[in-house]
Amino acid sequence: EKENEREVCVVFKPYYFNHVMAIQMVRGNDALLVGPIDEHGFPDVQWLRQTLTTKGQGSGSGSGSRNRIRIRMVTITNPGNPTGVSLPRNKLQEIVDICREFNCWLVMDNTYEHFDHSRVNSFPMEDSQDSQDIQDNEDCQDGKSADDCCFGYHCFQDAHVINIFSFSKGFAMAGFRVGYLAINNNKDVYRQMIKVQDTIPICTSRLSQIAAQGALSAGRNWVLHKVRTLESSRQAILDALRPLETKTIGGSGAMYVMAKLPQGKNGDDMVVGELFVEKFGIAIIPGSFCGFPGWIRVCYSNLPPRDCIIAAGRLEKGIKSLLSCEE
């Protein structure tokens, strides 16, 4: 770092808390810069450009004060955890272009690649040309329905982009701790990553490697077929949150929906989390864990569809109970 310059990494809130903890563990709180999202749940691109343009000149004073920041890395999760939002290709491309323009790394966490329900960053794998926007594409080529098609997920190959993929969600292998990276042909970056791997995890267990091979042999379409079974659960949770009117984001990707609690005494997400467990028998994640107090994150993939519909009914009762207390 240069004198009076602080190198930082950007995350957007609500953020995935493990990303924040990883930055704090390696570089401390001073290396963390949290950006906002827009009304759609997308990273605020205007904020990112403005911050990169001004290099975040601060107002610190005194000797040794590092009152300028230099953004070295931007991290986004798509589809989003905890937002449950799928970012469309054009929005992702905009972020990729901005990071290239300002010479900073872009880490794209694609753990939920198979859960792009709105298909805004997907394309039919039978088609040799990637569609820019297939959200309204009901049929694949050769007259196949969308349910019969295998959709690929667009991966950016730019030299400044590091793509993270995982077996944890799509193949339900969270306990096996298997994943992989996709990077451009940057040998220096690869060497630095090998240093980290060789000194911390070394390698995943042989059992996990064998399980990963089996998962790959099952193929992408096997996963997508399983993901489609979540549709009734997803809709049930969205319906349960409907009493909150428009105060929700997500549902288009990953397996989450976020909802804003009513203001007042029932707006404390930590208290509501305990209340929902004790009184209604359901578990949610308080938004405070993700830098978003006053919100909750609801997951619709942890239960079989029939049980999730029951849980959604309990959630709706809990939401209505909060609203009635505010009237």
Side-chain angles (χ1 to χ4, degrees):
E1 295 184 3
K2 297 180 181 179
E3 186 178 359
N4 293 332
E5 184 176 75
R6 176 165 57 98
E7 295 182 344
V8 299
C9 305
V10 170
V11 298
F12 293 90
K13 67 176 182 180
Y15 44 69
Y16 176 45
F17 36 78
N18 278 12
H19 288 164
V20 169
M21 290 190 290
I23 295 169
Q24 292 170 328
M25 178 177 66
V26 176
R27 298 298 298 271
N29 268 330
D30 283 349
L32 180 65
L33 181 61
V34 180
I37 59 173
D38 62 20
E39 66 274 16
H40 304 294
F42 300 164
D44 190 331
V45 175
Q46 290 185 346
W47 174 89
L48 179 60
R49 175 173 287 282
Q50 181 179 4
T51 305
L52 283 163
T53 300
T54 60
K55 293 188 177 180
Q57 294 192 25
S59 56
S61 61
S63 60
S65 173
R66 295 188 296 170
N67 58 355
R68 288 173 59 90
I69 64 171
R70 180 187 177 194
I71 297 176
R72 296 300 304 273
M73 182 179 79
V74 176
T75 299
I76 60 174
T77 306
N78 187 54
N81 177 12
T83 62
V85 172
S86 275
L87 303 181
R89 179 90 61 83
N90 60 350
K91 181 63 65 174
L92 292 170
Q93 186 66 63
E94 191 174 0
I95 297 172
V96 169
D97 293 342
I98 290 175
C99 290
R100 182 194 304 108
E101 179 182 347
F102 290 93
N103 193 31
C104 64
W105 293 101
L106 175 60
V107 177
M108 300 187 67
D109 186 340
N110 305 298
T111 294
Y112 297 89
E113 56 163 320
H114 302 93
F115 299 83
D116 182 19
H117 307 302
S118 55
R119 300 196 184 112
V120 291
N121 192 44
S122 304
F123 59 91
M125 292 183 67
E126 293 85 354
D127 192 347
S128 60
Q129 295 184 348
D130 296 0
S131 170
Q132 290 297 314
D133 183 4
I134 64 167
Q135 185 174 4
D136 298 323
N137 180 22
E138 296 296 335
D139 295 304
C140 302
Q141 68 176 28
D142 300 327
K144 293 182 179 179
S145 69
D147 287 346
D148 292 329
C149 285
C150 184
F151 286 90
Y153 185 81
H154 183 74
C155 179
F156 290 88
Q157 302 178 39
D158 304 71
H160 65 294
V161 178
I162 298 175
N163 292 279
I164 300 175
F165 294 90
S166 174
F167 286 78
S168 293
K169 304 303 180 183
F171 292 99
M173 292 174 54
F176 288 83
R177 315 313 300 160
V178 186
Y180 61 96
L181 300 175
I183 61 175
N184 191 279
N185 188 22
N186 188 323
K187 294 183 179 179
D188 183 59
V189 172
Y190 179 73
R191 282 194 294 267
Q192 299 303 322
M193 289 182 174
I194 289 298
K195 290 180 184 178
V196 175
Q197 177 173 325
D198 199 45
T199 54
I200 300 180
I202 302 179
C203 67
T204 190
S205 70
R206 184 171 179 82
L207 178 61
S208 294
Q209 294 180 49
I210 294 172
Q213 285 183 316
L216 289 175
S217 67
R220 187 177 188 85
N221 216 20
W222 180 87
V223 178
L224 296 179
H225 174 74
K226 299 295 183 182
V227 170
R228 292 183 191 113
T229 66
L230 297 176
E231 181 55 31
S232 61
S233 300
R234 182 177 76 96
Q235 192 57 55
I237 295 298
L238 289 171
D239 290 342
L241 296 172
R242 206 173 300 280
L244 293 172
E245 298 177 344
T246 60
K247 299 176 183 177
T248 60
I249 57 176
S252 62
M255 52 189 68
Y256 311 112
V257 182
M258 292 201 74
K260 182 176 175 60
L261 297 171
Q263 295 182 350
K265 63 181 180 180
N266 289 323
D268 187 326
D269 50 291
M270 301 292 288
V271 173
V272 169
E274 293 183 6
L275 174 68
F276 279 10
V277 170
E278 295 172 357
K279 188 173 181 179
F280 298 97
I282 53 174
I284 53 86
I285 294 290
S288 293
F289 294 171
C290 312
F292 229 46
W295 290 66
I296 58 174
R297 189 201 76 173
V298 185
C299 179
Y300 50 84
S301 69
N302 293 342
L303 296 170
R306 181 177 298 179
D307 293 338
C308 189
I309 291 173
I310 295 173
R314 297 180 181 182
L315 176 63
E316 184 175 7
K317 289 180 181 179
I319 294 296
K320 289 181 177 179
S321 174
L322 295 179
L323 293 172
S324 64
C325 291
E326 296 297 324
E327 293 177 353

